[in-house]
Amino acid sequence: MLRLLASRCARSRSRGAGGAAQPATGLCDRGRNASRQASNTPGNLPPSSESVARSVGVCSMMRLPVQKSPEGLDAAFVGVPLDIGTSNRPGARFGPRRIREESVMLRTVNPSTGALPFQSLTVADLGDVNVNLYNLQDSCRLIQEAYQKIVAAGCVPLTLGGDHTITYPILQAMAKKHGPVGLLHVDAHMDTADKALGEKIYHGSTFRRCVDEGLLDCKRVVQIGIRGSSMTLDPCRYSRSQGFRVVLAEDCWMKSLVPLMAEVRQQMGGKPIYISFDIDGLDPAYAPGTGTPEIAGLTPSQALEVIRGCQGLNVVGCDLVEVSPPYDPFGTTALLAANLLFEMLCVLPKVTVV
């Protein structure tokens, strides 16, 4: 119903240059110059806090228009509120909602990198995938079907998770269009276990299932931030046996990751790459709101270096997963997640950089 109301509200407003729909900002902006769009902007533009109060509007990512169809979009934010694949603390089903709430602080350009995403792309919020919280396999089916439609429309999805199980059906959809893709995976864990409690699909087996189905170009898979205790002395064995590059967290301590990302760009080349960012890749001092925290992780500045280091790559999709708001009542984790998703938007291939 919220999607329908938001879309009707957007259609009823005056349109900016090029006929692009204006963001739905609520009833209190009548008679104002709210959400005015620059004449050289081809797509939707988030409203400025100078003319529209941050507390006004439908709770969408960056207060962008909520759109039901991916048609006509270059990129879109998509929520997948699923957490029945988690092995420890639940709550990631509430991640998309809280990330959207915290995204109200985000603005339209990236002065640090010179990226102008909204001057380059038409972007909207596609709402949430309707998952089945009583059936994980059925949820995976629903996610795959939803993303096949998004990808088929030529729209690049930026996903708000949800636990890391969701990346498996998303990559199924990606591979149907692009073939096996490269993967930049930031995480405390490799998520390459075979099974748990007899089940082969859960958030710790995501990339093992992707390998089994040929969804990944294994020579172009890089896992960054891996750490924590293990059941074996060689927890990286499977990943490395598949050709993955594994970068342990201790190899990142107290250093810039710019040189590492230069190597990653060379490894990835011009072929399609997917970014999957588990918020527990960061130290829990910065991101406590997650299901499986591990000490001594990456810093937010290193996270920015990793994502910004993807500029120039053929990024075909991204996700930010494992935000569990119940374990961070102050919203710090969700605020960090919202900013990282904005940074992912800024490195998409068609984004103008000045």
Side-chain angles (χ1 to χ4, degrees):
M1 178 61 71
L2 283 177
R3 289 188 198 171
L4 181 60
L5 290 174
S7 62
R8 285 178 177 172
C9 184
R11 285 197 299 269
S12 69
R13 292 168 186 273
S14 58
R15 292 180 171 264
Q22 300 296 294
T25 54
L27 299 176
C28 299
D29 60 335
R30 277 183 283 182
R32 299 188 183 184
N33 293 323
S35 310
R36 184 174 293 169
Q37 195 158 302
S39 60
N40 62 342
T41 303
N44 302 321
L45 190 68
S48 169
S49 59
E50 294 178 355
S51 56
V52 180
R54 286 197 168 101
S55 57
V56 171
V58 174
C59 186
S60 65
M61 187 66 180
M62 297 185 68
R63 297 191 291 174
L64 286 162
V66 179
Q67 184 167 315
K68 184 175 182 180
S69 169
E71 296 297 331
L73 298 178
D74 298 303
F77 294 102
V78 188
V80 185
L82 181 76
D83 65 0
I84 59 173
T86 191
S87 57
N88 190 35
R89 306 190 306 196
R93 69 181 66 182
F94 304 114
R97 183 177 302 171
R98 191 60 191 269
I99 293 170
R100 287 184 173 108
E101 289 176 1
E102 297 299 334
S103 75
V104 71
M105 286 298 299
L106 295 171
R107 302 168 183 88
T108 58
V109 301
N110 193 330
S112 298
T113 65
L116 304 172
F118 297 103
Q119 281 73 18
S120 314
L121 308 174
T122 301
V123 189
D125 189 327
L126 290 179
D128 292 335
V129 175
N130 186 23
V131 295
N132 183 347
L133 293 178
Y134 303 116
N135 189 318
L136 187 55
Q137 290 191 345
D138 189 45
S139 287
C140 287
R141 176 188 64 81
L142 292 167
I143 295 166
Q144 181 185 0
E145 291 175 355
Y147 276 78
Q148 282 180 206
K149 295 176 182 177
I150 295 170
V151 174
C155 176
V156 177
L158 299 105
T159 302
L160 293 64
D163 74 52
H164 221 153
T165 311
I166 69 174
T167 305
Y168 165 50
I170 292 172
L171 286 175
Q172 287 178 318
M174 289 288 165
K176 283 184 178 293
K177 178 170 183 177
H178 301 288
V181 297
L183 174 70
L184 177 65
H185 172 208
V186 180
D187 203 323
H189 316 97
M190 288 170 288
D191 295 349
T192 54
D194 187 28
K195 62 177 66 174
L197 304 179
E199 298 297 325
K200 295 179 76 68
I201 298 177
Y202 77 111
H203 73 164
S205 66
T206 296
F207 300 110
R208 174 77 72 111
R209 300 287 81 82
C210 290
V211 170
D212 290 347
E213 296 184 18
L215 309 180
L216 299 176
D217 180 355
C218 292
K219 298 301 182 183
R220 295 193 305 121
V221 175
V222 179
Q223 299 180 302
I224 300 173
I226 307 302
R227 63 190 189 279
S229 56
S230 174
M231 300 299 292
T232 69
L233 288 174
D234 189 11
C236 303
R237 181 177 180 180
Y238 175 83
S239 287
R240 288 174 172 153
S241 72
Q242 300 303 313
F244 297 3
R245 179 177 181 178
V246 179
V247 181
L248 302 178
E250 49 258 51
D251 294 328
C252 302
W253 290 347
M254 295 174 286
K255 66 176 65 173
S256 169
L257 300 188
V258 170
L260 169 64
M261 291 310 299
E263 296 174 5
V264 170
R265 283 196 302 276
Q266 185 174 10
Q267 180 179 352
M268 295 299 175
K271 296 180 181 179
I273 172 180
Y274 186 87
I275 301 172
S276 186
F277 200 115
D278 187 325
I279 201 68
D280 74 24
L282 297 176
D283 191 274
Y286 306 107
T290 191
T292 317
E294 303 281 0
I295 67 165
L298 303 183
T299 66
S301 58
Q302 288 177 316
L304 293 181
E305 288 179 326
V306 169
I307 296 173
R308 291 174 181 178
C310 294
Q311 195 165 34
L313 294 178
N314 184 14
V315 179
V316 296
C318 315
D319 64 50
L320 191 295
V321 298
E322 298 286 356
V323 173
S324 184
Y327 296 95
D328 181 8
F330 301 106
T332 303
T333 309
L335 177 64
L336 178 53
N339 276 271
L340 295 181
L341 283 158
F342 173 69
E343 294 284 341
M344 292 177 191
L345 175 67
C346 290
V347 300
L348 294 187
K350 294 180 181 180
V351 172
T352 300
V353 178
V354 296

